[in-house]
Amino acid sequence: MATAKKVVKKTRNLEKSRKEILDAAFWEVFTRGFQGVSVDDIVKKTSMTKGAFYHQFPTKLDLGYALVDEVIKPMTYARWIDPLKEFENPLEGILAQIKNLIGKAAPQELQYGCPLNNLVQEMAPVDKEFKNRLEAALLYWIEGMEQELKRAKKLGYLRDDVSARQVAHFVVMAHEGFYGMLKALPDPKAFNALYDSLKRYFETIKA
Amino acid sequence: MATAKKVVKKTRNLEKSRKEILDAAFWEVFTRGFQGVSVDDIVKKTSMTKGAFYHQFPTKLDLGYALVDEVIKPMTYARWIDPLKEFENPLEGILAQIKNLIGKAAPQELQYGCPLNNLVQEMAPVDKEFKNRLEAALLYWIEGMEQELKRAKKLGYLRDDVSARQVAHFVVMAHEGFYGMLKALPDPKAFNALYDSLKRYFETIKA
DNA sequence: ACATTAACATACTGTTTAGTATGTTGTAAA
DNA sequence: TTTACAACATACTAAACAGTATGTTAATGT
């Protein structure tokens, strides 16, 4: 009886492969840190091999840069800015989003923190180019927030005499701070303490 | 001419050696991350060799634990809590300390962030025992802050109807958030935005 | 003074690492 | 249908890595 050799014709697609590698890399880096993950680790989580990896990315650092630009930057925006557009009052939206995405998150999710903040803390001091990309991603987030706050102003939800840019800075800082603190203190009490304080701050800037 | 062999009698002291290793490790880990630093890197910055290192610490992780317990935890307290005791009004003290230690810091210092926060972000999700030590250090900081805020209450600087513990959480979170954001945005404008917002929050809790 | 041991130094090991060299094959254009 | 090359796969390398085995000597107690 002849054994039927299964010849799986592997298709080829540069973009899809890049995406698959980036997706795998995102999780590995998210959960274990950039320096804590090896190229082989990432490749193993993929249907491809090292050849594909280095065909896409000249070095491991370049993979990191692409992670920031192509995955984390748009993901952060989609997660924290886009949903605000559904809210008539952006200030309410910001608080609601924090409650939904952080307050109601399981400790198991929270323990890994924020993908962007993680890389900022780990890689910004280590590699200049990394820092540039991370800075751009952060500013993108801040600017999106600023736009929403300007909308809040126009609609009469935010005081005229506060700087939208300044508030945006503070709010994004609070996001990072929340994640950072909850990483070590995955405690609902801790979240509530932070949330209530942020809410108190919001009281002072609303129109 | 006979060359005089210089026989440097090396003294031995377990505690001093431990301190020297921890000091060297602190800087390396502070600037490059725990996973980004090797045991050999640390030893090289020392007057000793690998033998001394592994005589003190069974593994690299144990060095990390000692770093948190013996260096970072007391350092954080000495840097952020002890000085508050010089202030009649703790609330003023907190803002003054932030302005002095963060606002007036050179970008070169700021780029490395906060030693405690760095390790929280990098190691808390990776190693359980690390997380426990980091959590303890954070709580130690928060509790110190809480005590100062209770003093503020007693002296009539802080409103009676706010929770000292809650404010302490928020203030420590803000410290971490400040450092985290300034790591990617070493910009005086960014600091001022954060500082002014925090000050605004303080206005709502003062008696 | 001598023995004992703690506090190191030195040399090594197996594994993991990022990166490379080279081979194979799907695919698209001619 | 053939050709050419991009999109991978496979096998390898030199360096770095955490940790170990073993040697040496300063200090301490008797």
Side-chain angles (χ1 to χ4, degrees):
Chain A
M1 181 177 151
T3 52
K5 233 350 178 347
K6 220 180 201 169
V7 182
V8 186
K9 260 225 182 176
K10 288 211 74 181
T11 175
R12 292 180 170 185
N13 187 320
L14 192 64
E15 278 186 44
K16 276 186 103 174
S17 295
R18 184 182 185 86
K19 203 165 174 296
E20 189 183 344
I21 294 171
L22 283 172
D23 280 349
F26 172 79
W27 278 108
E28 292 301 299
V29 171
F30 180 44
T31 55
R32 296 164 52 202
F34 184 77
Q35 300 185 108
V37 162
S38 72
V39 172
D40 289 289
D41 288 334
I42 294 168
V43 165
K44 259 179 219 155
K45 300 276 175 175
T46 283
S47 68
M48 286 158 290
T49 64
K50 225 169 182 181
F53 183 96
Y54 281 100
H55 186 64
Q56 299 268 0
F57 308 104
T59 72
K60 190 193 174 192
L61 275 175
D62 287 293
L63 179 266
Y65 304 156
L67 253 187
V68 176
D69 292 342
E70 300 170 32
V71 180
I72 294 175
K73 184 177 176 180
M75 174 186 288
T76 302
Y77 199 92
R79 191 174 163 84
W80 293 111
I81 301 299
D82 284 339
L84 296 182
K85 290 158 186 168
E86 304 296 319
F87 289 83
E88 155 79 6
N89 180 351
L91 293 185
E92 276 178 13
I94 293 167
L95 289 173
Q97 279 298 103
I98 288 178
K99 193 156 222 167
N100 281 331
L101 297 182
I102 304 184
K104 290 180 184 168
Q108 225 213 324
E109 298 175 56
L110 278 184
Q111 72 175 318
Y112 298 122
C114 162
L116 177 54
N117 191 34
N118 289 358
L119 278 180
V120 168
Q121 302 312 314
E122 185 188 3
M123 297 307 296
V126 173
D127 182 85
K128 189 73 193 304
E129 187 60 23
F130 235 120
K131 193 203 147 190
N132 290 339
R133 314 291 185 113
L134 291 163
E135 182 175 355
L138 246 188
L139 285 174
Y140 185 55
W141 186 2
I142 292 171
E143 275 152 21
M145 187 69 76
E146 186 184 2
Q147 292 310 314
E148 285 301 302
L149 290 169
K150 281 184 173 165
R151 181 167 73 86
K153 257 192 192 176
K154 200 174 280 177
L155 295 179
Y157 294 116
L158 181 64
R159 292 177 56 147
D160 271 326
D161 63 341
V162 299
S163 155
R165 179 72 168 195
Q166 188 169 303
V167 174
H169 260 105
F170 192 70
V171 169
V172 170
M173 180 279 282
H175 279 79
E176 293 196 358
F178 274 48
Y179 270 118
M181 173 149 288
L182 266 23
K183 216 163 167 176
L185 297 175
D187 178 7
K189 293 240 169 110
F191 171 77
N192 285 329
L194 298 177
Y195 181 80
D196 288 345
S197 295
L198 186 65
K199 207 170 171 184
R200 180 182 281 273
Y201 164 76
F202 267 54
E203 290 294 322
T204 75
I205 58 170
K206 77 175 185 191
Chain B
M1 181 179 155
T3 52
K5 232 350 178 347
K6 221 180 200 173
V7 181
V8 186
K9 259 223 183 178
K10 288 210 71 179
T11 176
R12 293 180 170 185
N13 187 319
L14 192 64
E15 278 185 43
K16 275 186 105 174
S17 295
R18 184 183 186 86
K19 204 165 174 298
E20 187 183 344
I21 294 171
L22 282 172
D23 280 349
F26 173 79
W27 277 108
E28 292 300 299
V29 171
F30 180 45
T31 54
R32 296 163 51 200
F34 184 77
Q35 301 186 107
V37 163
S38 73
V39 172
D40 289 288
D41 288 335
I42 293 168
V43 165
K44 258 180 221 155
K45 300 275 174 174
T46 284
S47 68
M48 284 157 292
T49 65
K50 226 169 181 180
F53 183 97
Y54 279 100
H55 187 64
Q56 299 268 1
F57 309 103
T59 71
K60 190 193 172 190
L61 274 174
D62 287 291
L63 178 267
Y65 303 156
L67 252 188
V68 176
D69 293 342
E70 301 170 31
V71 179
I72 294 175
K73 185 177 175 179
M75 173 186 289
T76 302
Y77 199 92
R79 189 174 164 85
W80 293 110
I81 301 300
D82 284 340
L84 296 182
K85 290 158 186 166
E86 304 297 320
F87 289 83
E88 155 80 5
N89 180 351
L91 293 185
E92 276 178 13
I94 292 167
L95 290 174
Q97 278 298 103
I98 288 178
K99 193 155 224 166
N100 281 331
L101 297 183
I102 303 184
K104 289 182 186 167
Q108 225 214 324
E109 297 176 54
L110 279 183
Q111 72 174 322
Y112 297 122
C114 162
L116 178 53
N117 191 33
N118 290 357
L119 278 180
V120 167
Q121 302 312 314
E122 184 187 2
M123 298 306 295
V126 172
D127 182 85
K128 189 72 191 307
E129 187 60 23
F130 234 120
K131 194 203 145 189
N132 290 340
R133 315 290 184 113
L134 291 164
E135 181 175 354
L138 246 187
L139 285 175
Y140 185 56
W141 185 4
I142 292 172
E143 276 152 21
M145 187 69 75
E146 185 183 2
Q147 292 310 313
E148 286 301 301
L149 290 169
K150 280 183 173 166
R151 180 167 73 84
K153 256 190 192 177
K154 200 173 278 175
L155 295 179
Y157 293 116
L158 181 64
R159 293 177 57 146
D160 271 326
D161 63 340
V162 299
S163 155
R165 179 73 168 193
Q166 188 170 301
V167 175
H169 261 104
F170 192 70
V171 169
V172 171
M173 179 280 282
H175 278 78
E176 292 196 358
F178 274 47
Y179 270 117
M181 173 150 289
L182 266 24
K183 216 162 167 176
L185 296 176
D187 178 7
K189 292 241 169 108
F191 171 78
N192 285 328
L194 298 175
Y195 181 81
D196 288 344
S197 295
L198 186 65
K199 208 169 173 185
R200 181 182 279 270
Y201 164 76
F202 267 54
E203 290 295 322
T204 74
I205 59 171
K206 77 173 184 191

